[in-house]
């Protein structure tokens, strides 16, 4: 009985290493893990084979120690590198969410500015200089009601009876488009006219191009705004199109 227990204990560690190595290899192949993960699993498997050969007295203790130490170092180094690779990927995704959230807000601001410019000027501003000047110094007409509508009447009736009046006033573009309470309530980042042309974090100026296309025989202004140095080169953010009369962004939710 004691001999059986000794034999069981002698083979327990080699079997454990073999099972661990095989499981790592199979898991890595099935789950499409990085090659470093699979190699580290192979190193553990080699340790198991060596330990088993020693238990069977096929190799010396010295050889077992040398191979085990080398394999353990390889497994630890590769395992750590694999962990760092996965962690870096996770960190990249998290940082991308933060960066893209602010870049999208900036692109929306440029779009809002250009839509206002087109509405009251008939076309898009061709450069950031002209757009920023328009937003900072320009004015646009706003119809404002003066007086108070009684509870017993609707606005149209009150206007007809002369209880209220309407007048068109000129208001600053920046106040009406960006700084009014309605525009501010859903903002995550503060509007800054001086930074409008620049992408957050990289500081690169957005690429902005304007043109005209024929839409049913009508000359239609179009615009395309792109991030010149995207955080993720495989997923650059942009607004609009030079081939279609669209000002939609290419991110999720648009």
């Amino acid at each position: 009985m004691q001999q059986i227990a000794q034999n069981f204990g002698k083979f327990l560690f080699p079997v454990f290493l073999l099972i661990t190595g095989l499981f790592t290899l199979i898991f890595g192949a099935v789950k499409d893990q990085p090659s470093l993960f699979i190699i580290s699993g192979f190193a553990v498997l080699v340790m198991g084979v060596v330990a088993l050969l020693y238990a069977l007295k096929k190799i010396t203790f010295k050889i077992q120690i040398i191979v085990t130490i080398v394999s353990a170092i390889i497994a630890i180094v590769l395992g750590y590198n694999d962990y760092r690779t996965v962690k870096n990927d996770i960190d990249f995704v998290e940082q991308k969410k933060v960066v893209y959230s602010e870049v999208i807000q900036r692109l929306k601001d440029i779009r809002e500015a250009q839509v206002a410019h087109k509405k009251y000027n008939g076309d898009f501003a061709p450069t950031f200089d002209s757009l920023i000047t328009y937003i900072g110094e320009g004015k646009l007409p706003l119809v404002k009601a003066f007086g108070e509508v009684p509870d017993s009447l609707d606005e149209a009736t009150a206007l007809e009876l002369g209880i209220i009046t309407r007048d068109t006033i000129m208001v600053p573009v920046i106040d009406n488009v960006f700084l009014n309470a309605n525009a501010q309530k859903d903002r995550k980042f503060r509007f800054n006219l001086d930074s409008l042309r620049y992408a957050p974090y990289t500081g690169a100026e957005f690429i902005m191009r304007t043109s005209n296309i024929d839409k049913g025989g009508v000359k239609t202004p179009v615009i395309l705004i792109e991030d010149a140095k995207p955080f993720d080169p495989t997923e650059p953010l942009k607004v609009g199109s030079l081939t279609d009369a669209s000002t939609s962004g290419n991110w999720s939710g648009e």
Side-chain angles (χ1 to χ4, degrees):
M1 192 64 163
Q2 185 178 0
Q3 183 65 33
I4 295 175
Q6 289 177 347
N7 289 334
F8 178 78
K10 184 169 61 174
F11 289 102
L12 183 61
F13 184 63
V15 170
F16 170 76
L17 291 177
L18 288 170
I19 293 174
T20 302
L22 284 172
F23 174 80
T24 303
L25 288 174
I26 295 171
F27 180 83
V30 172
K31 298 296 183 179
D32 196 25
Q33 293 293 312
S35 58
L36 293 178
F37 183 89
I38 296 175
I39 294 173
S40 64
F42 181 75
V44 174
L45 184 63
V46 169
M47 291 168 59
V49 171
V50 171
L52 180 62
L53 291 175
Y54 174 72
L56 294 171
K57 298 182 179 180
K58 300 295 183 180
I59 59 174
T60 64
F61 179 72
K62 183 178 180 180
I63 294 176
Q64 183 215 9
I65 290 298
I66 293 173
V67 175
T68 299
I69 291 175
V70 172
S71 298
I73 292 173
I74 292 173
I76 292 171
V77 170
L78 294 181
Y80 177 75
N81 287 337
D82 182 64
Y83 161 77
R84 291 299 308 170
T85 299
V86 173
K87 189 176 186 305
N88 288 340
D89 289 342
I90 294 174
D91 290 344
F92 177 82
V93 171
E94 292 302 314
Q95 182 65 18
K96 179 179 174 180
K97 290 179 182 178
V98 174
V99 172
Y100 273 35
S101 178
E102 195 162 351
V103 173
I104 287 172
Q105 178 67 73
R106 191 69 53 82
L107 286 171
K108 287 181 177 179
D109 288 342
I110 299 172
R111 176 173 63 188
E112 287 298 312
Q114 284 286 19
V115 167
H117 188 282
K118 177 176 178 291
K119 181 178 180 180
Y120 295 102
N121 295 279
D123 59 5
F124 295 114
T127 67
F128 276 110
D129 286 337
S130 59
L131 179 63
I132 290 171
T133 298
Y134 173 71
I135 296 300
E137 302 176 8
K139 294 182 181 295
L140 51 81
L142 178 67
V143 178
K144 188 172 182 179
F146 295 90
E148 187 173 342
V149 180
D151 294 338
S152 59
L153 299 176
D154 57 31
E155 186 174 333
T157 304
L159 182 64
E160 184 179 347
L161 294 174
I163 298 174
I164 64 171
T165 59
R166 284 179 179 169
D167 193 13
T168 300
I169 61 175
M170 301 301 291
V171 297
V173 175
I174 191 170
D175 291 343
N176 188 67
V177 178
F178 294 108
L179 302 183
N180 63 75
N182 187 55
Q184 288 290 319
K185 67 180 182 179
D186 294 326
R187 293 190 66 89
K188 294 181 179 179
F189 308 98
R190 186 174 64 88
F191 175 76
N192 188 329
L193 183 60
D194 294 334
S195 301
L196 187 65
R197 69 173 77 207
Y198 303 112
Y201 297 94
T202 65
E205 184 170 311
F206 288 105
I207 299 171
M208 185 170 69
R209 289 173 286 175
T210 60
S211 185
N212 291 281
I213 62 172
D214 185 284
K215 195 80 172 177
V218 178
K219 182 181 177 182
T220 304
V222 291
I223 187 169
L224 177 63
I225 310 158
E226 300 174 283
D227 189 351
K229 293 183 179 180
F231 181 80
D232 182 355
T234 67
E235 194 178 338
L237 294 173
K238 63 181 181 178
V239 163
S241 169
L242 292 179
T243 59
D244 186 29
S246 169
T247 57
S248 296
N250 67 334
W251 53 85
S252 176
E254 278 285 297

